[in-house]
Amino acid sequence: MNRRAGLGLVTSLFAILVVPALWADGETSPARDPKQPVDEAYTAKIQKYTTAPYFTSPLVNYLPASKNVPTPEAVLGDVAGAPGIRPYAEDVYKYMRLLEKASPRVRVFSIGTTEEGREMIAVAVSSADNLKNLEENRTRLAKLADPRTIKLDDAEADKLVAQAVPIYYITGTIHSPETGAPTALMELAYRLAVDESPYIREIRDGMITLITPAVEVDGRDRMVDLYKWHLAHPKDFYPPLIYWGKYVAHDNNRDAMGVTLKLTENVLNTYICWKAQVLHDLHESVPYLYDNTVGDGPYNAWVDPILADEWQMIGARNVADMTKLGMPGVFTHGDFDTWSPGYLMFIAAMHNGISRLYETFGNGGADTQERTLDPEDYARTWYRQNPPLPKTLWSQRDNNNYEQTGLLTSLHFFNENKRLFLKNFYLKSKRSVLKPSAEGPAAYVLPADDPRLSLQAELLRVLRKQAVEISRAKSAFTVSLPVKKEPKPKKKDTKDAAEKEAAPAPTTREFPAGSYIIRMDQPYARIADALLDHQYWSPDDPQKTPYDDTGWTFGELFGVQVSRVTDLKVLDVSMERVTEIHAPGGVKGEGAIFAINNNAEPVLATLRYKMKDAGMEAAEEPFESGGKKFNRGTFVIRNANRSELDHAAADLGLQVVALAAAPSVKTHPVRAARVAFVHTWLSTQTEGWWRLALDNLGIPFDYMSTQAIAKIDDLRTKYDVILFPPVGFASSPAAIINGIPMAWGNPLPWKNTPETPNLVGKNDSTDDMRPGLGWDGLAKLQAFVQKGGVLLTATDTSRFATETGFTTGVSTTSSQKLKIVGSVLGARLVDGASPIAYGYDEKVSVYCDNGPIFSLSSIAGARGRRRLGPESHSRPTGRGSVSDPDFTVGRSGVEAPEEPSWEAWEPPPVTDEQRRNGYRVIPPANRPRVIFRYADSKELLISGLVEGGDEIAQHPAVVDVPSGNGHVVLFSINPVYRGETHGTYSLVLNTILNFDSLNAGRALADK
């Protein structure tokens, strides 16, 4: 068979998919322009690599030819989606810039760099006229985005809607193992620039398609490295992608609230700058295309109902169009709830646009493979009437076909209805501006007299990144605060009924001059409201498997005061807009001794490491000097250069007071500890947030794996503190010790080689990822603690510590009914004299995700008693009453000793019987010291979901366990998480700075 004849046969086979009759009169059918030549060689390969005719569509089963514009083959060496080809980000960019050079319909913009310095780009594809008039169009869209500029005039908005060209922003490969999007977007850009079919031309002329082909660029290049390694070693297992970006892996798509990663900031800035209407993020985990724009409930409480309608409208049409094209496995309902605003796509939802997300079916690499689905994936359901096939041969090209077809049908539908969507864009912005007089609130206020001004500034900087307008009061003001509704009693008390039923009087609060005001009459009020308000996920909600966190109230997690104000008078306060946020700092007063009040501000640790040579001590008791009160833990600084201290404090936002004389209270040194930071080769997902926080604070550390720990003979001579943050995945104690099974398979290297030049980056390397800590490493880690080192653990590594002999008197138990899904909980201070607690108040808000339940015992080897609710003290059945004791017939009455009692966070008291030959009784100085506990059950939930909270209520949350000459500090909470928990960072930093004085203020038990 000659080549041309073969192409004709294949083309005929795929051409049967074109059924213009399926499209209604007046609708443009998805079909190529017969007058435009086809690139026959490229088209033949598309059809060769597509494994079945129903895995493509008439939109993508050919490629139009161009004399001037290169196809992706110019860079790839084959067509997009070809087996065995996985381009680096640099190759994708090279092609996009070739397009720009060859066509006036394409422009490429650099939008920033990653943490490792790699470029991110955005590619605009539209008609030449549209691209010439970008700034003029941006001006129109900016007026729709901020209706205040046109005085909320609907008629003027309609004129702008009629003139403006909408922008549809597509992002790919934020999740690095989901590898298909870059090649699909290369070819999509070519089609949009070259194809002259009416269907494509309408898209090109009517809107601007903006494309970021690779969001996680660092991870993309590492994933290509691994695929090249796989091709060079086809019979071997290949290493998993243990690092994506410099810091985090899968969680990079949970950063749209805190905006801590460069990739999030770059995409957010691009979306805001371009005034885009849609942000459409491409993922790969579900066969064959799940448009989870619709997903499942509950929807985020702060999205405009107009957006929910748009989700339904676009999602349903997307499914309908692709179903008519004969493509199986396309659906839009599923188990993804749209509650959390942390996803990248939610940048649009929280900024008056439309958030969208595809999950298509990727193979992880570019191999063509036979895939067998689970029954639940191919079952026909009410929302998936044309499900995927149970078993099929699947290629990268199939995936690219689905991605491009879905995008093109969405783009076309959006263009057909662009006036509706542009008007909705304006209406959502207008409704945000009108928020104070509608659903409220009127504003959020952050008081100028907050003791944690540096943390306040951190929170405000997050809001500034989100393009939220921030104002500052020029003078003091008073507002009415909403009345808190108390729950009604179950039984009505008739006494004073009239008084009880009367509405409680509203309260007022005065805020000082300089307080920050987040007005809600602004276009991006929605994101501020979502971050600062409280969340509640009902345990009775039909959705029983929340997809991600259920609570995130930023004021609580940052440890700063935030008041939700519904009083509209707050908008009349004299105020001025601020663009730069910086907490006041510097040295005031006269004297050679300096004091910095400790309010649990993380930048205190930054100062300690910045000024290593200065003598710094911590006051072990509160004191007063010069009419000022100072907390326990206050930094007392001697022998410091005042000018240097003033400059550092001003930079960090720390207020330093010069004292005439040193305080008389006891102090101990605050040291710049030598820190080792340990990770496993099982997962680096959760610990990456800890590294990011320490790097941002300027806290130096040596980063090493559990394998490296095992190779260091004497850890204590090198380090004072070892941080072992949560592992996250496959984190059992056995897995941490044993690592990945080595009884079979081949070594899994993670190192730079000619085949894999990008793997290591700025992280760690190993010849083989499989070995874990090992028993020898475990012994060395234990010896480190015995010799005076401090081991700090959290969540699953705390379980590791308690179950492998690091601690005595602490046990962890698994919950039976507890369900806490990424929520903000209340914690209570138990031992404020502990240096770990320096600067904290009696009540602290913490992040918890079903953390381990700690129970204490004063008997070595015994498990602590876990409380499931209030302790029962009922007496046995007998004569008398509850308080009137029973008797024994024929015997004189004997008064029983008083039954000991204890709280859930305490160990049971040691009894006289246990002290008899009490070799297992832990001496008081060696017993666990509870620093914080979880709040009582009724006060446990602050934001999110708590079900069965009695299991963990009142139990220890932070515990300091002496061990030999050192300490093991256990966290049931996660104090450093997603850049959202700044308020609990100092629990970790206090431990580091006071590593050799953790026994300060300790009160020992009598027995």
Side-chain angles (χ1 to χ4, degrees):
M1 183 182 296
N2 65 57
R3 177 179 174 278
R4 183 62 61 90
L7 174 58
L9 258 177
V10 177
T11 304
S12 298
L13 174 65
F14 283 82
I16 63 172
L17 293 173
V18 183
V19 190
L22 293 175
W23 265 253
D25 291 342
E27 285 190 295
T28 305
S29 62
R32 76 174 189 87
D33 179 4
K35 298 177 182 179
Q36 184 176 21
V38 169
D39 186 323
E40 294 188 356
Y42 196 106
T43 299
K45 289 183 177 180
I46 289 176
Q47 297 171 357
K48 176 183 177 181
Y49 301 146
T50 299
T51 62
Y54 38 78
F55 291 153
T56 189
S57 75
L59 287 167
V60 298
N61 65 0
Y62 72 96
L63 195 77
S66 171
K67 294 180 181 179
N68 304 314
V69 181
T71 72
E73 192 169 11
V75 169
L76 299 177
D78 206 332
V79 306
I85 295 178
R86 178 70 70 229
Y88 288 108
E90 184 179 351
D91 297 324
V92 179
Y93 298 173
K94 179 181 178 181
Y95 176 69
M96 294 300 194
R97 289 188 163 112
L98 287 176
L99 275 183
E100 179 185 39
K101 186 176 181 180
S103 172
R105 297 168 175 175
V106 180
R107 288 186 63 183
V108 178
F109 300 86
S110 184
I111 64 171
T113 58
T114 68
E115 283 82 1
E116 296 188 358
R118 292 181 176 88
E119 184 188 22
M120 292 178 64
I121 67 170
V123 183
V125 189
S126 190
S127 70
D129 286 344
N130 286 340
L131 295 183
K132 285 179 184 177
N133 298 312
L134 282 179
E135 290 307 316
E136 183 181 339
N137 189 61
R138 193 196 314 269
T139 300
R140 294 191 186 102
L141 292 176
K143 292 178 180 179
L144 295 176
D146 187 354
R148 297 171 301 180
T149 60
I150 57 172
K151 301 180 180 179
L152 309 184
D153 187 336
D154 292 352
E156 182 64 23
D158 288 340
K159 294 177 184 177
L160 293 167
V161 165
Q163 298 168 346
V165 178
I167 297 173
Y168 195 110
Y169 188 17
I170 303 167
T171 54
T173 312
I174 186 173
H175 282 168
S176 303
E178 301 167 8
T179 56
T183 51
L185 293 173
M186 290 168 72
E187 191 173 282
L188 179 74
Y190 175 90
R191 293 182 186 279
L192 291 173
V194 170
D195 201 322
E196 296 298 337
S197 68
Y199 196 90
I200 303 298
R201 194 170 61 245
E202 288 171 8
I203 297 171
R204 182 171 60 240
D205 293 345
M207 59 194 297
I208 297 168
T209 303
L210 194 64
I211 299 170
T212 292
V215 173
E216 177 55 274
V217 186
D218 300 333
R220 171 68 183 186
D221 285 359
R222 292 191 176 99
M223 192 65 193
V224 175
D225 275 6
L226 288 180
Y227 186 67
K228 288 172 65 178
W229 191 94
H230 159 65
L231 292 178
H233 307 83
K235 296 183 179 180
D236 288 343
F237 298 119
Y238 50 86
L241 189 68
I242 192 72
Y243 293 103
W244 298 14
K246 179 180 178 181
Y247 293 112
V248 297
H250 189 274
D251 258 14
N252 61 8
N253 193 36
R254 303 296 186 272
D255 187 47
M257 288 190 280
V259 197
T260 61
L261 303 176
K262 290 291 187 182
L263 64 84
T264 314
E265 188 172 2
N266 293 338
V267 171
L268 172 60
N269 289 342
T270 303
Y271 180 86
I272 296 295
C273 178
W274 283 76
K275 308 302 178 187
Q277 283 64 61
V278 181
L279 178 55
H280 193 151
D281 198 26
L282 303 183
H283 291 252
E284 299 169 21
S285 68
V286 177
Y288 296 128
L289 190 151
Y290 172 28
D291 180 349
N292 75 1
T293 302
V294 175
D296 198 0
Y299 283 178
N300 181 277
W302 292 267
V303 300
D304 194 304
I306 293 175
L307 173 58
D309 293 341
E310 290 171 321
W311 285 338
Q312 302 286 341
M313 186 189 314
I314 298 175
R317 179 58 184 263
N318 209 171
V319 174
D321 281 356
M322 294 185 71
T323 300
K324 285 193 290 185
L325 292 172
M327 304 180 79
V330 180
F331 60 102
T332 190
H333 290 277
D335 60 1
F336 173 79
D337 64 76
T338 310
W339 175 252
S340 168
Y343 312 108
L344 186 76
M345 67 163 180
F346 236 72
I347 288 171
M350 293 286 100
H351 294 84
N352 302 319
I354 301 172
S355 56
R356 300 202 65 205
L357 189 149
Y358 279 170
E359 295 280 6
T360 57
F361 199 39
N363 285 340
D367 295 352
T368 299
Q369 298 176 329
E370 191 171 81
R371 302 292 299 273
T372 302
L373 305 184
D374 293 332
E376 64 182 26
D377 288 327
Y378 62 76
R380 186 176 64 82
T381 65
W382 67 267
Y383 58 85
R384 191 172 53 198
Q385 289 290 314
N386 185 11
L389 283 68
K391 189 173 185 179
T392 192
L393 186 67
W394 188 258
S395 69
Q396 180 181 216
R397 182 65 214 189
D398 295 333
N399 184 34
N400 279 190
N401 289 340
Y402 269 80
E403 288 171 310
Q404 289 189 73
T405 301
L407 288 169
L408 286 169
T409 54
S410 288
L411 288 167
H412 193 267
F413 176 70
F414 189 86
N415 182 64
E416 284 182 319
N417 298 275
K418 61 186 175 185
R419 304 305 170 206
L420 167 66
F421 293 122
L422 281 168
K423 184 62 179 286
N424 284 351
F425 179 64
Y426 161 75
L427 288 175
K428 286 179 287 187
S429 302
K430 179 182 177 182
R431 283 152 67 107
S432 290
V433 173
L434 297 175
K435 185 177 178 62
S437 58
E439 75 271 20
Y444 287 89
V445 179
L446 285 72
D449 57 0
D450 192 308
R452 299 186 174 98
L453 291 178
S454 66
L455 281 168
Q456 183 189 77
E458 281 294 328
L459 174 53
L460 290 168
R461 281 192 282 268
V462 172
L463 295 175
R464 282 297 304 138
K465 286 184 179 181
Q466 296 280 4
V468 172
E469 297 170 1
I470 300 171
S471 301
R472 202 165 190 185
K474 294 181 178 179
S475 58
F477 62 96
T478 301
V479 295
S480 297
L481 297 179
V483 176
K484 291 186 178 181
K485 294 183 179 180
E486 298 295 335
K488 293 183 178 180
K490 293 182 179 180
K491 291 184 180 181
K492 187 176 180 181
D493 187 352
T494 55
K495 183 179 180 181
D496 298 327
E499 180 182 340
K500 288 186 177 183
E501 291 179 5
T507 59
T508 61
R509 177 171 176 178
E510 182 176 350
F511 292 95
S515 294
Y516 289 100
I517 301 174
I518 316 298
R519 301 176 64 103
M520 290 292 101
D521 56 349
Q522 60 170 298
Y524 300 145
R526 198 173 312 282
I527 181 63
D529 199 15
L531 296 183
L532 300 178
D533 206 351
H534 288 71
Q535 298 78 41
Y536 177 73
W537 183 302
S538 171
D540 298 323
D541 194 283
Q543 174 64 272
K544 298 302 180 185
T545 54
Y547 203 81
D548 200 69
D549 289 346
T550 59
W552 52 81
T553 306
F554 269 41
E556 300 285 355
L557 291 176
F558 276 66
V560 299
Q561 301 172 33
V562 178
S563 293
R564 186 177 189 268
V565 178
T566 57
D567 186 353
L568 292 174
K569 293 179 181 178
V570 70
L571 301 178
D572 297 327
V573 171
S574 178
M575 64 184 81
E576 59 184 354
R577 284 271 298 277
V578 294
T579 55
E580 296 296 325
I581 307 294
H582 191 80
V587 180
K588 292 183 178 180
E590 298 298 327
I593 306 295
F594 306 99
I596 307 176
N597 202 9
N598 194 330
N599 289 299
E601 295 176 277
V603 289
L604 280 170
T606 306
L607 181 71
R608 169 68 281 188
Y609 280 91
K610 264 192 170 187
M611 302 184 66
K612 288 185 177 180
D613 297 331
M616 297 190 187
E617 299 172 349
E620 295 186 5
E621 295 295 335
F623 66 91
E624 188 170 340
S625 178
K628 295 181 180 293
K629 293 183 178 180
F630 294 88
N631 298 328
R632 183 186 279 118
T634 288
F635 275 28
V636 179
I637 304 174
R638 311 169 195 265
N639 305 321
N641 180 287
R642 179 175 178 132
S643 176
E644 181 185 357
L645 178 59
D646 182 64
H647 182 270
D651 182 53
L652 297 172
L654 287 171
Q655 300 182 41
V656 184
V657 179
L659 305 180
S664 59
V665 297
K666 185 179 180 181
T667 63
H668 64 254
V670 174
R671 306 189 194 279
R674 301 168 300 166
V675 179
F677 188 116
V678 178
H679 72 90
T680 71
W681 288 105
L682 302 169
S683 173
T684 61
Q685 168 62 26
T686 309
E687 56 91 355
W689 295 115
W690 290 55
R691 282 189 285 122
L692 177 59
L694 293 178
D695 282 350
N696 286 343
L697 288 165
I699 310 299
F701 57 89
D702 287 348
Y703 184 58
M704 65 186 66
S705 72
T706 49
Q707 295 175 3
I709 287 286
K711 296 175 182 177
I712 300 175
D713 290 331
D714 189 349
L715 288 163
R716 185 64 188 93
T717 60
K718 298 188 68 175
Y719 302 108
D720 304 309
V721 178
I722 294 179
L723 302 180
F724 197 1
V727 175
F729 175 75
S731 58
S732 69
I736 291 172
I737 294 170
N738 297 325
I740 300 169
M742 297 183 65
W744 61 85
N746 51 273
L748 301 175
W750 187 274
K751 59 183 182 179
N752 286 347
T753 68
E755 289 171 351
T756 56
N758 304 287
L759 278 191
V760 176
K762 297 182 180 180
N763 293 313
D764 205 354
S765 64
T766 180
D767 290 329
D768 188 0
M769 296 168 62
R770 295 178 300 166
L773 176 66
W775 295 104
D776 186 47
L778 181 69
K780 289 178 178 177
L781 203 53
Q782 290 173 334
F784 164 79
V785 176
Q786 294 298 308
K787 293 178 181 179
V790 173
L791 174 65
L792 187 149
T793 62
T795 65
D796 52 21
T797 56
S798 290
R799 184 182 296 275
F800 160 80
T802 61
E803 295 183 8
T804 54
F806 281 88
T807 62
T808 303
V810 184
S811 60
T812 58
T813 54
S814 299
S815 62
Q816 303 300 314
K817 59 178 182 176
L818 179 68
K819 187 176 183 180
I820 301 173
V821 183
S823 299
V824 185
L825 304 187
R828 300 292 180 263
L829 181 63
V830 174
D831 191 342
S834 165
I836 297 172
Y838 283 170
Y840 283 96
D841 302 322
E842 292 294 320
K843 295 182 178 181
V844 177
S845 298
V846 299
Y847 172 85
C848 180
D849 187 34
N850 257 34
I853 303 171
F854 295 149
S855 298
L856 305 189
S857 174
S858 296
I859 309 299
R863 295 187 69 84
R865 289 182 59 184
R866 184 174 56 151
R867 290 261 179 96
L868 299 179
E871 186 77 359
S872 173
H873 295 286
S874 60
R875 49 154 283 188
T877 302
R879 70 150 298 279
S881 62
V882 172
S883 57
D884 186 10
D886 196 9
F887 60 54
T888 300
V889 175
R891 194 175 78 188
S892 299
V894 177
E895 187 171 346
E898 183 178 352
E899 182 181 350
S901 63
W902 66 95
E903 302 291 353
W905 63 89
E906 298 175 327
V910 179
T911 66
D912 291 340
E913 285 297 305
Q914 290 169 329
R915 281 195 294 273
R916 292 179 61 249
N917 193 25
Y919 60 89
R920 292 175 58 224
V921 176
I922 304 171
N926 296 89
R927 293 176 189 173
R929 183 183 187 184
V930 176
I931 315 302
F932 283 92
R933 65 171 177 89
Y934 288 104
D936 300 351
S937 181
K938 291 182 179 180
E939 298 179 323
L940 186 62
L941 176 64
I942 292 176
S943 280
L945 167 66
V946 171
E947 187 174 3
D950 283 350
E951 280 198 278
I952 203 169
Q954 298 187 336
H955 279 261
V958 182
V959 185
D960 172 16
V961 188
S963 182
N965 292 320
H967 294 257
V968 178
V969 180
L970 308 170
F971 286 83
S972 171
I973 63 170
N974 187 348
V976 184
Y977 180 73
R978 291 184 179 175
E980 300 172 11
T981 60
H982 288 252
T984 48
Y985 284 6
S986 287
L987 294 173
V988 174
L989 301 171
N990 283 346
T991 304
I992 293 173
L993 299 180
N994 300 277
F995 75 93
D996 57 351
S997 299
L998 292 183
N999 285 328
R1002 181 178 178 119
L1004 301 181
D1006 294 334
K1007 297 180 180 179

